[in-house]
């Protein structure tokens, strides 16, 4: 895709098709999926466990931990915490593994080192 002279025209449909068919783009997709699919499955299982416990384990969920704070409240708050943790993990993963590859692809399709 890179030429010896920088190409000043904007990318067209053929350029995008070439990028999509390139091994670099396939690697970028693979890296993204390697993080997103397992993390999504993990979070959905964690959420489903919380919902099932809330529905079927009333005794366990209403167990007092400290004062009026019970297991259900703690697990509910941990849902929010896990969302922030996943976001932080994704940002770190993207900065390290995805963004450099995406930047290289962008520079290749734009035809220069801008």
């Amino acid at each position: 895709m890179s030429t010896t002279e920088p190409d000043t025209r904007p990318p067209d449909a053929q350029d995008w098709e070439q990028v999509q068919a390139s091994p670099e783009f396939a690697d970028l997709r693979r890296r993204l999926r390697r993080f997103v699919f397992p993390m999504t499955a993990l979070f959905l299982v964690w959420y489903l466990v919380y919902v099932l416990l809330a529905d079927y384990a009333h005794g366990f969920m209403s167990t007092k931990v400290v004062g009026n704070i019970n297991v259900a409240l703690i697990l509910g708050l941990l849902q929010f915490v896990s969302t922030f943790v996943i976001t932080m993990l994704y940002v770190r993963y993207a900065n390290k593994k995805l963004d450099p590859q995406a930047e290289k692809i962008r520079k290749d399709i734009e035809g220069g080192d801008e």
Side-chain angles (χ1 to χ4, degrees), residues 57-74:
H58 298 279
F60 171 70
M61 294 295 268
S62 63
T63 302
K64 301 263 186 206
V65 177
V66 175
N68 286 332
I69 299 174
N70 60 19
V71 172
L73 181 61
I74 292 171

Coordinates of all heavy atoms in Angstrom, one line a residue, residues 57-74:
A57 N -31.2 -16.8 45.7 CA -30.5 -17.0 47.0 C -30.7 -15.8 47.9 O -29.8 -15.1 48.4 CB -29.0 -17.1 46.7
H58 N -32.0 -15.6 48.2 CA -32.4 -14.5 49.1 C -31.7 -14.5 50.4 O -31.3 -13.5 50.9 CB -33.9 -14.5 49.3 CG -34.7 -14.3 48.0 ND1 -34.9 -13.1 47.4 CD2 -35.3 -15.2 47.2 CE1 -35.6 -13.2 46.3 NE2 -35.8 -14.5 46.2
G59 N -31.6 -15.7 51.0 CA -31.0 -15.8 52.3 C -29.5 -15.3 52.3 O -29.0 -14.6 53.1
F60 N -28.8 -15.8 51.3 CA -27.4 -15.5 51.1 C -27.2 -14.0 50.9 O -26.4 -13.3 51.5 CB -26.7 -16.3 50.0 CG -25.3 -15.8 49.7 CD1 -24.3 -16.0 50.6 CD2 -25.1 -15.2 48.5 CE1 -23.0 -15.6 50.2 CE2 -23.8 -14.8 48.1 CZ -22.8 -15.0 49.0
M61 N -28.0 -13.5 49.9 CA -27.9 -12.1 49.5 C -28.3 -11.1 50.6 O -27.8 -10.0 50.7 CB -28.7 -11.8 48.3 CG -28.2 -12.5 47.0 SD -26.6 -12.0 46.5 CE -27.0 -10.8 45.4
S62 N -29.2 -11.5 51.5 CA -29.6 -10.6 52.6 C -28.7 -10.8 53.9 O -29.0 -10.1 54.9 CB -31.1 -10.9 53.0 OG -31.2 -12.2 53.5
T63 N -27.7 -11.6 53.8 CA -26.7 -11.7 54.9 C -26.1 -10.4 55.2 O -25.5 -9.8 54.3 CB -25.7 -12.8 54.6 OG1 -26.3 -14.0 54.3 CG2 -24.7 -12.9 55.7
K64 N -26.2 -9.9 56.5 CA -25.6 -8.7 56.9 C -24.1 -8.8 57.0 O -23.6 -9.8 57.6 CB -26.2 -8.2 58.2 CG -27.7 -8.0 58.2 CD -28.1 -6.6 58.0 CE -29.6 -6.5 58.2 NZ -30.1 -5.4 57.5
V65 N -23.4 -7.9 56.5 CA -21.9 -7.9 56.6 C -21.5 -6.9 57.7 O -20.8 -7.2 58.6 CB -21.3 -7.5 55.2 CG1 -19.8 -7.5 55.4 CG2 -21.7 -8.6 54.2
V66 N -21.9 -5.6 57.5 CA -21.6 -4.6 58.5 C -22.8 -3.7 58.6 O -23.3 -3.1 57.6 CB -20.4 -3.7 58.1 CG1 -20.2 -2.6 59.0 CG2 -19.2 -4.6 58.0
G67 N -23.4 -3.6 59.7 CA -24.6 -2.7 59.9 C -25.7 -3.1 59.0 O -26.2 -4.2 58.9
N68 N -26.2 -2.2 58.1 CA -27.2 -2.4 57.2 C -26.7 -2.8 55.8 O -27.4 -2.9 54.8 CB -28.2 -1.2 57.0 CG -29.1 -1.0 58.2 OD1 -29.4 -2.0 58.9 ND2 -29.4 0.2 58.5
I69 N -25.4 -3.0 55.7 CA -24.8 -3.4 54.4 C -24.8 -4.9 54.3 O -24.3 -5.6 55.2 CB -23.4 -2.9 54.3 CG1 -23.4 -1.3 54.4 CG2 -22.7 -3.4 53.1 CD1 -22.0 -0.7 54.4
N70 N -25.4 -5.4 53.3 CA -25.5 -6.9 53.1 C -24.8 -7.3 51.8 O -24.2 -6.5 51.1 CB -27.0 -7.3 53.0 CG -27.8 -6.7 51.9 OD1 -27.2 -6.2 50.9 ND2 -29.1 -6.7 52.0
V71 N -24.7 -8.6 51.6 CA -24.0 -9.2 50.5 C -24.5 -8.7 49.2 O -23.7 -8.4 48.3 CB -24.0 -10.7 50.6 CG1 -23.4 -11.4 49.3 CG2 -23.4 -11.3 51.8
A72 N -25.8 -8.5 49.0 CA -26.4 -8.0 47.8 C -25.9 -6.6 47.4 O -25.5 -6.4 46.3 CB -27.9 -8.0 47.9
L73 N -25.8 -5.8 48.4 CA -25.3 -4.4 48.2 C -23.8 -4.4 47.8 O -23.4 -3.7 46.8 CB -25.5 -3.5 49.4 CG -25.1 -2.1 49.3 CD1 -25.8 -1.4 48.2 CD2 -25.2 -1.4 50.6
I74 N -23.1 -5.2 48.4 CA -21.6 -5.3 48.1 C -21.4 -5.9 46.7 O -20.7 -5.3 45.9 CB -20.9 -6.2 49.1 CG1 -20.8 -5.4 50.5 CG2 -19.5 -6.5 48.7 CD1 -20.3 -6.3 51.6

